[in-house]
Amino acid sequence: MKPMLPEGLERTLITPFLVMFSPLTEADKSELGRLCRENHDYFMDQVNQHGGILFRGFTAPGSDEFDLFVNEQLQLAPWNSFNSKGTPTFVANWLRKWSEKILGAGDYRRYLGKSTVRLGPVENSIQGPHVEGGGLPQRSRYLALCCQQPGEYQAETGMADFSSVIDRLPAALQEKFLKGWNKYSYTTARPLGWLDKLILNLSPMAVEVKEDGHGILTGKLCPAACYVPETDSIAVQPWSFARNANGQVHKAAQAVFHDRGEIIRDSTADALNMNWDLVDENGDSLGWSEEEQYQFFHTIFSEAHLMAWQKGDVALIDNVRLGHWRMNGIQGNRQLIQVQANPFNVLEHLVHSGTESDEEPALA
């Protein structure tokens, strides 16, 4: 028998993939920690069944407490895909700033602790849809988010159920995502120095130094789609920060979100000299035309839910099944923090052969 809705809560289905829980009385507002700890199985069942849950109307934990809240109350294991070794905060922020300089762009998020991150600022653009850490074979399974202050105007978080995207794509593009791999390669914004090379030798990326001293950094191939463990549905796994796809992200955003005023191109993707291709397991391109890119992003944007954050909101999201992106708007004093949790190896949930595997493709 599945666990029942805990007492003191009102449950509201916002979309098929997002469920909201609110306190019934003023006295229940301070009970979020206890409710999460005592009803862990119920809430995780709701996440696995739908994709995400939102707690609204409670007294939320502060930024210093959020890591502890995720660990002890939600009973998850904080694990950041970009800081998987738990590097101390000042070192993690230094590396983040270094990577932004060497790659020529970044979304300027900053670590408040080993796991808690303050997300980047809003500009009047829309990001490409992605799963967090989607450029890496091992990414976080869950995202815990807390809104300490919403944006001044718009600045929502767009969300979509990536497990429903495959069935809505044209047959040829559907086949590419089912059998394909994401290949991401960067050209550095400046020539590589000795310290750059030393740090990059410790990274999972292959490094090729060009005659002009700039580097071409190629990541390991990542499946373009994978199985969602609890449902056996298939979810696409994009990480849409590439310059070669940014024009089609912008075009699709303008078409779908036509009532939001002017939308500029995402400056991060334009500045980041990254190429995203769909390839086979040997790294050979399957073709990734601008029309296919537009169809892909338009499909995702067309069924998006725009999360209009309220102060104190806490959300828990399946980072494999649900994709997200930052919407355009006015930043104001927007403060959104995130903790990634529970490592997930996408190579163990392949759809290419119809079986699970932990083997990497020929090109890695």
Side-chain angles (χ1 to χ4, degrees):
M1 179 182 295
K2 290 187 176 181
M4 303 293 291
L5 175 68
E7 291 185 8
L9 286 181
E10 179 180 12
R11 179 184 182 277
T12 305
L13 187 66
I14 298 177
T15 74
F17 57 82
L18 186 64
V19 184
M20 181 173 72
F21 296 96
S22 303
L24 289 174
T25 69
E26 268 309 297
D28 295 325
K29 289 179 63 175
S30 62
E31 294 293 289
L32 180 59
R34 180 189 64 79
L35 285 166
C36 289
R37 183 178 63 254
E38 295 180 358
N39 300 280
H40 169 266
D41 291 349
Y42 173 79
F43 291 126
M44 291 308 299
D45 177 72
Q46 292 291 293
V47 174
N48 294 334
Q49 179 181 341
H50 295 279
I53 58 176
L54 170 68
F55 297 103
R56 173 167 289 171
F58 291 95
T59 303
S63 57
D64 293 339
E65 306 167 315
F66 198 55
D67 181 281
L68 194 64
F69 172 80
V70 173
N71 195 341
E72 295 191 356
Q73 313 304 329
L74 294 178
Q75 300 175 45
L76 300 174
W79 188 91
N80 191 297
S81 51
F82 300 108
N83 186 25
S84 59
K85 299 184 186 302
T87 305
T89 304
F90 75 95
V91 177
N93 279 326
W94 183 89
L95 287 171
R96 186 84 194 185
K97 293 177 184 178
W98 168 83
S99 68
E100 289 163 359
K101 290 179 180 179
I102 198 170
L103 296 177
D107 64 356
Y108 306 105
R109 63 181 59 195
R110 291 294 178 260
Y111 291 89
L112 305 179
K114 290 182 181 180
S115 303
T116 304
V117 175
R118 184 179 63 246
L119 299 184
V122 170
E123 59 179 16
N124 203 32
S125 67
I126 293 176
Q127 286 180 322
H130 57 280
V131 295
E132 203 72 32
L136 302 166
Q138 191 153 336
R139 73 276 316 247
S140 301
R141 178 64 197 277
Y142 301 106
L143 302 180
L145 298 148
C146 180
C147 178
Q148 298 180 314
Q149 184 66 45
E152 181 178 329
Y153 176 66
Q154 297 179 330
E156 310 96 333
T157 297
M159 297 182 184
D161 187 349
F162 279 0
S163 69
S164 68
V165 171
I166 281 285
D167 293 337
R168 294 183 283 118
L169 294 177
L173 184 55
Q174 181 182 117
E175 181 66 15
K176 288 180 182 179
F177 270 90
L178 287 173
K179 72 178 183 180
W181 299 76
N182 292 323
K183 179 181 179 181
Y184 299 101
S185 59
Y186 310 75
T187 300
T188 60
R190 57 173 170 78
L192 298 178
W194 67 268
L195 180 59
D196 301 324
K197 295 176 183 177
L198 178 63
I199 295 173
L200 288 169
N201 282 337
L202 301 175
S203 80
M205 308 192 78
V207 182
E208 176 188 349
V209 181
K210 302 197 303 180
E211 290 185 2
D212 62 3
H214 287 73
I216 299 177
L217 315 179
T218 304
K220 293 183 177 182
L221 300 188
C222 298
C226 72
Y227 282 114
V228 180
E230 290 76 16
T231 64
D232 281 335
S233 58
I234 296 173
V236 294
Q237 297 289 284
W239 197 60
S240 307
F241 292 97
R243 183 186 292 180
N244 70 308
N246 195 36
Q248 301 309 312
V249 170
H250 182 234
K251 183 179 176 182
Q254 287 180 308
V256 176
F257 305 116
H258 53 81
D259 58 345
R260 294 179 66 88
E262 180 188 15
I263 299 173
I264 64 174
R265 287 168 60 109
D266 178 29
S267 63
T268 297
D270 269 345
L272 190 65
N273 193 3
M274 181 176 81
N275 186 75
W276 172 24
D277 197 9
L278 292 177
V279 301
D280 64 20
E281 61 183 5
N282 296 313
D284 297 324
S285 180
L286 297 173
W288 181 221
S289 71
E290 288 188 352
E291 178 58 30
E292 288 176 322
Q293 291 172 5
Y294 177 79
Q295 290 173 329
F296 180 67
F297 299 128
H298 193 281
T299 299
I300 293 173
F301 287 152
S302 293
E303 297 199 10
H305 170 69
L306 305 187
M307 168 73 81
W309 294 98
Q310 294 184 17
K311 187 173 182 178
D313 282 353
V314 172
L316 180 60
I317 295 169
D318 183 338
N319 185 49
V320 174
R321 178 175 171 180
L322 296 192
H324 65 278
W325 59 92
R326 189 171 60 235
M327 295 295 295
N328 63 319
I330 298 176
Q331 166 83 12
N333 192 34
R334 178 180 182 268
Q335 296 180 45
L336 195 63
I337 59 174
Q338 176 202 87
V339 171
Q340 302 179 30
N342 292 30
F344 177 87
N345 188 345
V346 69
L347 298 174
E348 296 177 355
H349 302 277
L350 300 179
V351 299
H352 306 92
S353 62
T355 59
E356 295 184 351
S357 170
D358 58 4
E359 295 182 2
E360 295 191 9
L363 178 65

